[in-house]
Structures are given as C-alpha cells and as structure tokens.
Amino acid sequence: VLATLPAGALSYGEPAGHPVLREALAGLLARRRGVVAGADRVVVGQGVGHGLAVVAAWARRAGHTAIAVEDPGSTPIWELFNAHGLRPVPVPVDAGGLDPDRVAALTGVRLVMVTPAHQFPTGTVLAPDRRRALVAWADRVDGLVLEDDYDGDFRYDRAPVGALQALAPERVVYLGSASKSLAPALRLGWLVAPYALVGELAAQRRYHDLMSPVLDQLAFAELIRSGGYDRHLRLSLRTYRDRRETVRAVLAATRPDWTLSGIAAGLHVVAEVGENAPALVARAAAAGIRVPSLATYATTPAPGVPDALVLGYAHLRPAELTPALQALATV
Amino acid sequence: VLATLPAGALSYGEPAGHPVLREALAGLLARRRGVVAGADRVVVGQGVGHGLAVVAAWARRAGHTAIAVEDPGSTPIWELFNAHGLRPVPVPVDAGGLDPDRVAALTGVRLVMVTPAHQFPTGTVLAPDRRRALVAWADRVDGLVLEDDYDGDFRYDRAPVGALQALAPERVVYLGSASKSLAPALRLGWLVAPYALVGELAAQRRYHDLMSPVLDQLAFAELIRSGGYDRHLRLSLRTYRDRRETVRAVLAATRPDWTLSGIAAGLHVVAEVGENAPALVARAAAAGIRVPSLATYATTPAPGVPDALVLGYAHLRPAELTPALQALATV
C-alpha cells in the first residue's frame, strides 16, 4: 500500500471510508453473506461496537429512546446502548431465536438488535419465518433492525445462513468486523446501511472520530482483493471445526449425559449439564477453568431453556482443549 | 512491530492506548513541549477532533452546556461542540490572544478552548499574564481549559513557547496530533488530562470506538523511540521555514504595503491588505488562487483587527508558492 499510495490519500478523507475498501467490502459481503451491499451503502468503522455506537448516536438524535435486545445476549452491548441514551429492552430467545411477536408487543420500540446467524450466546439460528416477520414488523412501524453478523463466517456443517439484511436492505443495518476473523486490535469493522441512513451515519463520524486510518483500510482492501482474506477464512473455518470436533468428542466420551447445542456454527457451544450450572462454574473456577454459565448473559431465566455452560473453544488448540475439557468433566 | 508483537497484543486492549505509546508520548511531550505528562495522564486517540469529541461527550454528561471559544477560530470545531450539546460562546481575540477577563464575564461557562502557541487563525501567541489568568480562572470556577497545541511544533525564529498545560496540569486538557507533522490520514492523536479526568475520558471510549488500532500505535511509538520522529520534525521545521521565507520575500518585493502577522510560527500567515479583503478573495479565486479572508473564521469583526487574508503555505514548494504569490499580488 505504501509503495503505491498517492500523497493525496494521506490527507483528510471520507468519513464513510476509503472508496477502495468500501468497494472490496461490498463484493466480499455480497459473495460470502448475501448482503445487498453496493459500496455506496458501506460505512467503514473500527468494529461492531463502534458501528453500534454510530447507529445509537444517530438513533438517539432521531428520537429513539429504547431498543429491543435478545435475552440472553451480549451485556456489554446493552451497556453501550444505555450509554447512548437507548434503553435496552430484553426479549427472551427460544429455540427459534428472537420471537418477533414479543418485539411487536413492546410499546414505543422501533429498534431491535439481533444476531441471526448464531445467536449470542445460545447459538440458535433465527428461524426463516421469524426473519420475515421481523422485517415486516420493521416496515410496519417504520423501524430498524440491527444485524450483528458476529459469527456469520463460521458455519461448519453446511452452507452458511445468509444475512437477514438481504430480505429488506432498507430496514436493516448489517454490522460485521475482522475482530473474530483476524484480530480485535486491528480495529477493522464495517456496516451496510439503508440508503436513507448511510449519509447520516457517515456524517455522525465527522463529529466523533472523523475517519478510520487510511493505511489500515487500504491494507485490508488489498488483503480482500488478493484473495488472501478468503483463504484465511477457509483456513480458520477448518481450524475451528477441528476444535469443535475436539469438544464434541471429549464430552461425548466423558459426559454423555450433557447435551450440546449451538454447535453448528461459531466459536462456542452451549452445554446443558443437567444440574446446578452456577455451582459447576464455581467448581470449575477452583480447578483453574474459566467457563461462564448461560444465566450470566440473561436478565431472566429463558422459558424452557435450562441454565447451561457456555464453552468458548476457538482460541485453544486441541492439545489444550482436551485436558481442560477432561478436567471440567471431572469436577 | 509485526516481527516482535506478542499474540496477546492483538486482542482487545486498553481504551487509553497501548502503554508503550503512552510512555513514548509522555517523554516526547515533556521534552518538546514542556507538558507535565506521565504515561498515566495520556489517552491515545485519532486526532485533535477525536480528542475534543471525547472531552465534549464527558463534559456534556458532567453537566456542562457551553464552552468559550476563540473568535475568530476554527468553525468546524464549533460545530463539533454543538453536535455534542455544548454551545460554543465566541470570545474575541486581540494581539495578546484570548482575554481571560472576557471569559470570566460569561455566566455559567466553565470550559474554554484555546490555541495558545499560535492562535488559529490570527497567529498570535497567548500572552504570559493571560496564561496565568486563564488557569487562575479555571481554578476559581472549578473549570477546565482545552489546549489545542495544533502548531506547537512549528516555531521558526526562537525556542518554542511551552504548553499552557505545564502551568496547571489539573486544570488543562492538552491535545495534539500527528495530522500536521505526519499526515491526517494516519489518525494519530493524543491528549494529556488531569488525573481527576483521565480515567473517565478513557472510559468514554469504551462506548464509542473502544480503542485505536494497535499496530498503528506501536509503529508510531517505535518512530518516536528511534528518534525518527524528532528528525522528521526538525526537517519539517526547516522545510516550512524556507516556505515562510518565500512568502515573506515575495510579498516584500511585490506588496510592501501589506502587513504580515502570525509569521513566527505555524503553517500560515495573516496578511493585512489595506483594502476590502473579501473583494480580493473573489478576484484571487477568479485567478485560480484559493485564499480565505480572516472574517471567514469570525462571528463578528474583531475589534481593532482589520479583515485580512489567511495564507496557508506549508503544503506548497517555493517553486509553486512564488508564482501563486506573484499572481495574488497582481490581482
């Protein structure tokens, strides 16, 4: 990038991101995730949290005061919404994900955030009829769906579930990042917005961080353009699938009484352990194993969903995973 | 940086910035600008505008609703404060810079932003007694001074004027960036905050952009550590001084009736042209020369300061400057 960069590219640039990266991302997201993403819908950012902050700041200014969120869900993101003056309203998820009827029953809420590809943390996939119902609701109330595609790249046993955004590009803000696929410290993220919103979201950055560093943007664009990013994702998929297989095999051998779910995709599985999960969390901690329970992420126990363990495995090699899982099975 | 980076550094990091860069910046700012800057006062950011946004968001939450600003001044920064719910209150500058008595006379204002080293755009240096009076005022009202040291690295004829922050580190937020010294597109900035504030400003980032990209931070830290950044600043100083000399020489030869001011430092000079400046701006534009008038940056004509031309020269080589100035002198 440095060898070919024109001097003019080192000046102040577009808050929405460098056109070369926006074009590369539009192609990548259309191809891999089915996102309806012309470059003119893309705003480059520095992570999904950053994208949500940009949308939240806009939403607050546009008069929104609350947002429906999945329960259990990502509590740091609830705090982020709170910090921007949007009250998170928890909506229980079940085996089909978030129930749009429960969102529609909320008074005065026209915003919802979902993780449709692999719900965090239950690992469920948002059911096709619920996807359609959710965007129909957004149309009806002039609302907006925020789609955090945090695990969309990591589906192991069949073709990935496409992005919800494709159903209604004018009702969904799609958000993604390279934090899971490359590294969080790179601060590479993106959103794809409705045409009615993209200019306002980019303008929002003018009064915050202005724009992302251009060298990082163009290096990432080159990684995408060269095919290196796709190769890296394929390699990561194989690596993480091997790790998931280790989880499945070790627990099948040691704890056949546990039930695993959310296993088709992502970087963690949920294990129903048939006993008091918090007590097991405490015993595991005493044995040097950090594993949260599902209830950690919930405001209220989900109906019909027993408490369980949330087992993150993607950062551990099989040789590290195996003894940790065996120790967990024992405690 | 990539050759030596531990894998752990690629995960989520500190919102205040990587400790290695904070340490490097603390040394640099103490040495070059006299800033009282332990690494534990430093928050890394992505430019002065970004730093101001972080401070403004904090200030609004802390109950501030207005901020005194220099008039004439940087109008995009006024817009930034407005966007964060802080009403900019313009205070006229004269030959000694901002008058602290005029700030003290404002009701309900406990925030002020200044450019003490080289006021933008008049080029005046904030007078020593006014520096003392300004921080005394801040002490009296439990207020805060935001010091944008945008031109502090470029003083040509004698030793630089030290940072105002050194007078009262608990009453001043010092802000700087590499946007003028390296390039805006790198998005490298920093602030040095009172101890009472630094944690809150870093926390503020947690709900916005979280943190700056780590590779950029560590590459810049290495540039500082190696002495390369100091060498670059010395080279830039010589280069820009030559360009300033070109401005002085060409205008002395062609328009001895014009008076130059703000010439001791910075990247622009102000030229009093003894006639209707806006009319001259229009004639210059017709001749292909973009030059704003001082009034462009003011809400009200400054008392005793005639309108004038603001001549930015730092981005033009002498061979480009000379014909442009000759053409300007002719129109």
Side-chain angles (χ1 to χ4, degrees), chain A residues 9-12 46 49-50 53 61 76 79-80 83-84 179-180 183-187 206-216, chain B residues 9-12 46 49-50 53 61 76 79-80 83-84 179-180 183-187 206-216:
Chain A
L10 285 167
S11 187
Y12 295 99
Q46 301 193 201
H50 182 224
R61 277 220 327 279
E79 291 166 28
L80 183 151
H84 286 272
S179 294
K180 305 285 184 296
L186 300 181
R187 312 309 298 134
R206 201 172 285 281
Y207 301 121
H208 288 267
D209 60 335
L210 189 58
M211 58 185 259
S212 293
V214 160
L215 297 184
D216 307 57
Chain B
L10 285 167
S11 187
Y12 294 101
Q46 301 194 202
H50 182 222
R61 275 218 328 277
E79 288 166 31
L80 183 151
H84 286 273
S179 294
K180 305 285 186 293
L186 299 182
R187 311 311 296 135
R206 204 172 283 281
Y207 301 121
H208 287 268
D209 61 336
L210 190 57
M211 58 184 260
S212 294
V214 160
L215 298 184
D216 308 57

Side-chain angles (χ1 to χ4, degrees), chain A residues 207-275:
Chain A
Y207 301 121
H208 288 267
D209 60 335
L210 189 58
M211 58 185 259
S212 293
V214 160
L215 297 184
D216 307 57
Q217 290 188 63
L218 291 178
F220 186 45
E222 178 58 22
L223 184 66
I224 297 172
R225 194 207 55 75
S226 69
Y229 188 60
D230 283 274
R231 280 195 301 278
H232 172 74
L233 287 172
R234 281 196 298 274
L235 173 65
S236 303
L237 187 77
R238 284 198 301 272
T239 303
Y240 295 159
R241 189 171 49 204
D242 287 350
R243 294 175 183 188
R244 184 200 62 164
E245 283 312 311
T246 301
V247 174
R248 185 143 63 178
V250 174
L251 291 182
T254 56
R255 297 301 309 225
D257 55 320
W258 290 3
T259 307
L260 302 186
S261 61
I263 200 160
L267 311 176
H268 73 275
V269 298
V270 172
E272 288 176 32
V273 293
E275 65 166 314

Side-chain angles (χ1 to χ4, degrees), chain B residues 22-289:
Chain B
R22 290 160 69 198
E23 197 66 56
L25 284 169
L28 177 85
L29 297 172
R31 177 162 47 77
R32 290 190 64 90
R33 307 293 300 126
V35 172
V36 178
D40 51 355
R41 286 186 182 274
V42 175
V43 179
V44 175
Q46 301 194 202
V48 167
H50 182 222
L52 291 172
V54 170
V55 176
W58 163 83
R60 190 67 190 83
R61 275 218 328 277
H64 291 275
T65 57
I67 180 166
V69 295
E70 296 167 330
D71 183 12
S74 173
T75 48
I77 289 179
W78 301 357
E79 288 166 31
L80 183 151
F81 288 136
N82 256 325
H84 286 273
L86 294 180
R87 182 173 47 88
V89 183
V91 176
V93 297
D94 58 28
L98 183 88
D99 183 349
D101 288 344
R102 286 175 172 268
V103 176
L106 301 171
T107 306
V109 175
R110 296 185 297 119
L111 279 177
V112 62
M113 177 174 150
V114 286
T115 50
H118 189 240
Q119 200 272 330
F120 183 85
T122 65
T124 57
V125 177
L126 188 62
D129 59 323
R130 290 188 170 183
R131 291 176 178 238
R132 285 189 297 272
L134 199 62
V135 298
W137 162 82
D139 250 344
R140 211 160 54 237
V141 303
D142 189 21
L144 199 63
V145 179
L146 313 187
E147 175 179 23
D148 176 1
D149 195 30
Y150 86 104
D151 256 0
D153 282 313
F154 300 111
R155 189 164 180 88
Y156 302 117
D157 305 313
R158 64 195 88 158
V161 180
L164 171 63
Q165 187 262 6
L167 292 182
E170 288 301 314
R171 286 296 170 199
V172 179
V173 177
Y174 172 94
L175 301 117
S177 81
S179 294
K180 305 285 186 293
S181 59
L182 292 174
L186 299 182
R187 311 311 296 135
L188 294 167
W190 49 85
L191 61 79
V192 182
Y195 280 128
L197 209 56
V198 63
E200 295 193 53
L201 296 182
Q204 187 69 32
R205 292 194 71 186
R206 204 172 283 281
Y207 301 121
H208 287 268
D209 61 336
L210 190 57
M211 58 184 260
S212 294
V214 160
L215 298 184
D216 308 57
Q217 291 189 62
L218 290 179
F220 186 44
E222 177 57 24
L223 184 66
I224 296 172
R225 195 207 56 75
S226 68
Y229 188 60
D230 284 272
R231 282 195 300 279
H232 172 73
L233 286 172
R234 282 197 297 275
L235 173 64
S236 302
L237 187 77
R238 285 199 299 274
T239 303
Y240 295 159
R241 189 170 51 205
D242 286 350
R243 293 174 184 189
R244 185 201 60 165
E245 284 311 312
T246 300
V247 174
R248 184 142 68 177
V250 173
L251 290 182
T254 55
R255 296 303 308 226
D257 55 320
W258 290 4
T259 306
L260 302 185
S261 62
I263 200 161
L267 311 175
H268 74 274
V269 297
V270 172
E272 288 177 31
V273 294
E275 65 165 314
N276 187 316
L280 180 49
V281 167
R283 291 207 302 280
I289 304 164

Side-chain angles (χ1 to χ4, degrees), chain A residues 15-17 21-48 50-52 54-55 58 112 114 135 143-149 163-177 188-202 205 220 224:
Chain A
L21 178 55
R22 290 160 69 199
E23 196 66 56
L25 284 169
L28 177 85
L29 298 172
R31 178 162 47 77
R32 288 190 66 90
R33 307 291 302 126
V35 172
V36 178
D40 52 355
R41 286 187 183 272
V42 175
V43 179
V44 175
Q46 301 193 201
V48 167
H50 182 224
L52 290 173
V54 169
V55 176
W58 164 83
V112 63
V114 285
V135 299
L144 198 63
V145 179
L146 313 188
E147 175 179 23
D148 176 1
D149 194 30
L164 171 63
Q165 186 262 9
L167 291 182
E170 288 302 312
R171 287 294 169 201
V172 180
V173 177
Y174 172 95
L175 301 115
S177 81
L188 294 167
W190 49 84
L191 61 79
V192 181
Y195 280 128
L197 210 55
V198 64
E200 295 192 53
L201 296 182
R205 293 195 70 186
F220 186 45
I224 297 172

Side-chain angles (χ1 to χ4, degrees), chain B residues 71-73 75 78 121-122 270 277-278 281 292-302 305-310:
Chain B
D71 183 12
T75 48
W78 301 357
T122 65
V270 172
V281 167
S293 89
L294 197 57
T296 313
Y297 302 95
T299 54
T300 48
V305 180
D307 197 8
L309 302 182
V310 178

